[in-house]
Amino acid sequence: VVTTMKNNKKKLTLDRYVYDWVTTYLPKLRISSTATLRTYKRALNIFLEYLELSGVTELTPDNLSPGVVNNWMKWLVEKRGNSATTCNSRLAAIKSFAKYIGSCDNTLRSLYFDISDYVKPVKGQQTKVRGISKNGIHAILSELGGGKKDIRDRAFMQILYSAALRLDEILSLTIENVHIEKEKSFIIVLGKGNKLRTIPIFKEDAKILEKYIETYHGPSPVPTDYLFFSPVRNEKGKLSQECMRKRIKQIASNARVKCPDIPDNIHPHQFRHARAQHLLEDKVLNLAELSKFLGHASIETTMVYLDVTINQKLQAFTQMEKDNNLPTKKKWKDKKSDIAKLRSLLGM
């Protein structure tokens, strides 16, 4: 189904936007991970495949109407058998593409807003993350000695756990995001959706960070340098996610000998999950407070994410009510279509 739009939009083709989005916008301005870039390119390619199978030969603004995108999402579920997570990831890519088009042409800004308003994510069962026990966290940190690399790893994992950070959040921290003071120390984190949140850190964590900064950054740290970095041509480049995943697995594997309940194939996100679960169990934060602490967009996300009791859910919904009262067809084979050319550009 192709929704009719204004005549001046109907004549437009979006080929050049595909090229610019893939070759310039994603790699240089928005997407740093090659895996994410590949995922976004694949999502757009699959969308173009759907259009091509529907008999569409060129990409126009009409093809990005909510009706078309909704039908594509239905096709992903029913014909391709994609999970809710996969469908929503691909929808995010299409929204990113539509948003980019609108940033280039004001007359097409409605494409992104219409998709955001009228195309809803696919609902699915979210998988719980298996956390790490307090004994497991202690065992992992106990594997670290006093060597230079151990100082870095201790600071990294201590803050990852204590502040319940996502992996990219901790890797994106710069020196100026860290505020170590006598009375109160905290870090400023840029989370999903470019949302800032301030997270207090304990005195013990502050001491560990101070020692790390002194060891790796010297007496006069550059404010804009990454806190955890990889030396690249005499510069402090951003440390890769894969590097720290491997390092954490290695340390956890050694610690598992002493503490068997440490999960196999451990990954950094389990530190975040463990901290959240421990704060909830110890009643340090209630569910509503914990949701804000984690930087979740909604409290429902936190409830699915963790093992939450009925009483905790009731308390959370009560808090939510209080907060809400505040002001606030067939494939073309004969001639190579423009769609087919775009798919070739995407390398799929």
Side-chain angles (χ1 to χ4, degrees), residues 241-276:
Q241 294 191 16
E242 189 57 31
C243 171
M244 294 315 297
R245 284 195 191 100
K246 288 181 179 179
R247 183 63 179 149
I248 287 173
K249 283 183 181 180
Q250 179 185 5
I251 297 168
S253 179
N254 295 333
R256 197 174 294 113
V257 176
K258 302 174 185 175
C259 185
D261 69 343
I262 294 174
D264 293 327
N265 198 27
I266 194 172
H267 54 84
H269 198 76
Q270 286 166 292
F271 282 74
R272 170 176 162 86
H273 177 274
R275 180 59 166 166

Coordinates of all heavy atoms in Angstrom, one line a residue, residues 241-276:
Q241 N 35.0 -1.9 22.2 CA 34.2 -2.7 23.1 C 34.7 -4.1 23.1 O 34.7 -4.8 24.1 CB 32.7 -2.7 22.5 CG 32.1 -1.3 22.6 CD 30.6 -1.4 22.3 OE1 30.0 -2.4 22.3 NE2 30.0 -0.2 22.1
E242 N 35.2 -4.6 22.0 CA 35.6 -6.0 21.9 C 36.8 -6.2 22.8 O 37.0 -7.3 23.4 CB 36.0 -6.3 20.4 CG 36.3 -7.8 20.2 CD 35.1 -8.7 20.6 OE1 33.9 -8.3 20.5 OE2 35.4 -9.9 21.0
C243 N 37.7 -5.3 22.9 CA 38.9 -5.4 23.8 C 38.5 -5.6 25.2 O 39.0 -6.5 25.9 CB 39.7 -4.1 23.7 SG 41.0 -4.0 24.9
M244 N 37.5 -4.9 25.7 CA 37.1 -5.0 27.1 C 36.2 -6.2 27.3 O 36.2 -6.8 28.4 CB 36.4 -3.7 27.6 CG 37.3 -2.5 27.7 SD 39.0 -2.9 28.4 CE 38.5 -3.3 30.1
R245 N 35.5 -6.6 26.3 CA 34.7 -7.9 26.4 C 35.6 -9.1 26.6 O 35.4 -9.9 27.5 CB 33.9 -8.1 25.2 CG 32.6 -7.3 25.0 CD 31.7 -7.8 24.0 NE 30.6 -6.9 23.6 CZ 30.6 -6.1 22.6 NH1 31.7 -6.1 21.7 NH2 29.6 -5.2 22.3
K246 N 36.7 -9.1 25.8 CA 37.6 -10.2 25.9 C 38.4 -10.2 27.3 O 38.6 -11.2 27.9 CB 38.7 -10.1 24.8 CG 38.1 -10.5 23.4 CD 39.1 -10.4 22.3 CE 38.6 -10.8 21.0 NZ 39.6 -10.7 19.9
R247 N 38.7 -9.0 27.7 CA 39.5 -8.9 29.0 C 38.6 -9.3 30.2 O 39.1 -10.0 31.0 CB 39.9 -7.4 29.1 CG 40.8 -7.2 30.4 CD 42.1 -7.9 30.3 NE 42.9 -7.7 31.5 CZ 43.7 -8.5 32.1 NH1 43.8 -9.7 31.5 NH2 44.4 -8.2 33.1
I248 N 37.4 -8.9 30.2 CA 36.5 -9.3 31.3 C 36.2 -10.8 31.3 O 36.2 -11.4 32.3 CB 35.1 -8.5 31.1 CG1 35.3 -7.0 31.5 CG2 34.0 -9.1 32.0 CD1 34.2 -6.2 31.3
K249 N 36.1 -11.4 30.1 CA 35.9 -12.8 30.0 C 37.1 -13.6 30.5 O 37.0 -14.6 31.2 CB 35.6 -13.3 28.5 CG 34.2 -13.0 28.0 CD 34.1 -13.5 26.6 CE 32.7 -13.2 26.1 NZ 32.5 -13.7 24.7
Q250 N 38.3 -13.1 30.2 CA 39.5 -13.7 30.7 C 39.6 -13.7 32.2 O 39.9 -14.7 32.8 CB 40.7 -13.0 30.1 CG 42.1 -13.5 30.5 CD 43.2 -12.7 29.9 OE1 43.0 -11.7 29.3 NE2 44.4 -13.2 30.1
I251 N 39.4 -12.5 32.8 CA 39.4 -12.4 34.2 C 38.4 -13.2 34.9 O 38.6 -13.9 35.9 CB 39.3 -10.9 34.6 CG1 40.5 -10.1 34.1 CG2 39.3 -10.7 36.2 CD1 40.3 -8.6 34.2
A252 N 37.1 -13.2 34.4 CA 36.0 -13.9 35.0 C 36.3 -15.4 34.9 O 35.9 -16.2 35.8 CB 34.7 -13.6 34.3
S253 N 36.9 -15.9 33.8 CA 37.2 -17.3 33.6 C 38.2 -17.8 34.7 O 38.0 -18.9 35.3 CB 37.9 -17.5 32.3 OG 38.2 -18.9 32.1
N254 N 39.2 -16.9 35.1 CA 40.1 -17.3 36.2 C 39.4 -17.3 37.5 O 39.6 -18.1 38.4 CB 41.2 -16.3 36.2 CG 42.1 -16.4 35.0 OD1 42.2 -17.4 34.3 ND2 42.7 -15.3 34.6
A255 N 38.4 -16.3 37.7 CA 37.7 -16.2 39.0 C 36.7 -17.3 39.2 O 36.4 -17.7 40.3 CB 37.0 -14.9 39.1
R256 N 36.2 -17.9 38.1 CA 35.2 -19.0 38.2 C 35.7 -20.2 38.9 O 34.9 -21.0 39.5 CB 34.7 -19.3 36.8 CG 33.4 -20.1 36.7 CD 32.9 -20.3 35.3 NE 32.6 -19.0 34.7 CZ 33.2 -18.5 33.7 NH1 34.2 -19.2 33.1 NH2 32.8 -17.4 33.1
V257 N 37.0 -20.4 39.0 CA 37.6 -21.5 39.7 C 37.2 -21.4 41.2 O 36.9 -22.4 41.8 CB 39.1 -21.6 39.5 CG1 39.7 -22.7 40.3 CG2 39.5 -21.8 38.0
K258 N 37.3 -20.2 41.7 CA 37.0 -19.9 43.1 C 35.5 -19.7 43.3 O 35.0 -20.0 44.4 CB 37.8 -18.7 43.6 CG 39.3 -18.8 43.4 CD 39.9 -17.5 43.8 CE 41.4 -17.6 43.5 NZ 42.1 -16.2 43.8
C259 N 34.8 -19.2 42.3 CA 33.4 -18.9 42.5 C 32.6 -19.5 41.3 O 32.4 -18.8 40.3 CB 33.2 -17.4 42.6 SG 31.5 -16.9 42.9
P260 N 32.2 -20.7 41.3 CA 31.5 -21.4 40.2 C 30.2 -20.7 39.7 O 29.8 -21.0 38.6 CB 31.2 -22.8 40.7 CG 32.2 -23.0 41.9 CD 32.3 -21.6 42.5
D261 N 29.6 -19.9 40.5 CA 28.3 -19.3 40.1 C 28.5 -18.1 39.1 O 27.5 -17.6 38.7 CB 27.4 -18.9 41.3 CG 28.0 -17.7 42.1 OD1 29.2 -17.4 41.9 OD2 27.2 -17.1 42.8
I262 N 29.7 -17.8 38.8 CA 30.0 -16.7 37.8 C 29.5 -17.3 36.5 O 29.9 -18.4 36.1 CB 31.4 -16.3 37.7 CG1 31.9 -15.7 39.0 CG2 31.7 -15.4 36.5 CD1 33.4 -15.4 39.1
P263 N 28.6 -16.6 35.7 CA 28.1 -17.2 34.5 C 29.2 -17.5 33.4 O 30.2 -16.7 33.4 CB 27.1 -16.0 34.0 CG 26.9 -15.2 35.2 CD 28.1 -15.3 36.0
D264 N 28.9 -18.5 32.7 CA 29.8 -18.8 31.5 C 29.6 -17.7 30.5 O 28.5 -17.1 30.4 CB 29.5 -20.2 30.9 CG 29.8 -21.3 31.9 OD1 30.8 -21.1 32.7 OD2 29.1 -22.3 31.9
N265 N 30.6 -17.5 29.6 CA 30.5 -16.6 28.5 C 30.0 -15.2 29.0 O 29.1 -14.6 28.4 CB 29.5 -17.1 27.4 CG 29.7 -16.4 26.1 OD1 30.8 -15.9 25.8 ND2 28.6 -16.4 25.3
I266 N 30.6 -14.7 30.1 CA 30.1 -13.5 30.7 C 30.4 -12.3 29.8 O 31.3 -12.3 28.9 CB 30.9 -13.3 32.0 CG1 30.3 -12.2 32.9 CG2 32.4 -13.0 31.8 CD1 30.9 -12.1 34.3
H267 N 29.5 -11.3 29.9 CA 29.7 -10.1 29.1 C 29.5 -8.8 30.0 O 28.8 -8.9 31.0 CB 28.7 -10.1 27.9 CG 27.3 -10.3 28.2 ND1 26.5 -9.2 28.7 CD2 26.5 -11.4 28.2 CE1 25.3 -9.7 28.9 NE2 25.3 -11.0 28.7
P268 N 30.0 -7.7 29.6 CA 29.9 -6.5 30.4 C 28.6 -6.1 30.9 O 28.4 -5.5 32.0 CB 30.6 -5.4 29.5 CG 31.5 -6.2 28.6 CD 30.7 -7.4 28.3
H269 N 27.5 -6.3 30.1 CA 26.2 -5.9 30.4 C 25.7 -6.6 31.7 O 24.8 -6.0 32.4 CB 25.2 -6.1 29.3 CG 23.9 -5.3 29.4 ND1 23.9 -4.0 29.1 CD2 22.7 -5.6 29.8 CE1 22.7 -3.5 29.3 NE2 21.9 -4.5 29.7
Q270 N 26.3 -7.7 32.0 CA 25.8 -8.4 33.2 C 26.3 -7.7 34.5 O 25.6 -7.9 35.5 CB 26.4 -9.9 33.2 CG 25.7 -10.7 32.2 CD 26.4 -12.0 31.9 OE1 27.4 -12.0 31.3 NE2 25.8 -13.1 32.4
F271 N 27.3 -6.9 34.4 CA 27.7 -6.0 35.6 C 26.6 -5.0 35.9 O 26.3 -4.8 37.0 CB 29.0 -5.3 35.3 CG 30.2 -6.2 35.4 CD1 30.5 -7.2 34.5 CD2 31.1 -6.1 36.5 CE1 31.7 -8.0 34.6 CE2 32.2 -6.9 36.7 CZ 32.5 -7.8 35.7
R272 N 26.1 -4.4 34.8 CA 25.0 -3.4 34.9 C 23.7 -4.1 35.5 O 23.1 -3.6 36.5 CB 24.7 -2.8 33.6 CG 23.4 -2.0 33.5 CD 23.4 -1.4 32.1 NE 22.1 -0.9 31.7 CZ 21.6 0.4 32.0 NH1 22.4 1.2 32.7 NH2 20.4 0.7 31.6
H273 N 23.4 -5.2 35.0 CA 22.2 -6.0 35.5 C 22.4 -6.4 37.0 O 21.5 -6.2 37.8 CB 22.0 -7.2 34.6 CG 20.9 -8.1 35.1 ND1 21.0 -9.0 36.1 CD2 19.6 -8.1 34.7 CE1 19.9 -9.6 36.3 NE2 19.0 -9.1 35.5
A274 N 23.6 -6.8 37.3 CA 23.9 -7.3 38.7 C 23.8 -6.1 39.6 O 23.1 -6.3 40.7 CB 25.3 -7.9 38.8
R275 N 24.3 -5.0 39.3 CA 24.2 -3.8 40.2 C 22.8 -3.4 40.4 O 22.4 -3.1 41.5 CB 25.0 -2.6 39.6 CG 25.0 -1.4 40.4 CD 25.6 -1.6 41.8 NE 25.8 -0.3 42.4 CZ 26.1 -0.2 43.7 NH1 26.1 -1.3 44.5 NH2 26.3 0.9 44.3
A276 N 22.0 -3.4 39.3 CA 20.6 -3.0 39.4 C 19.8 -4.0 40.3 O 19.1 -3.6 41.2 CB 19.9 -3.0 38.0

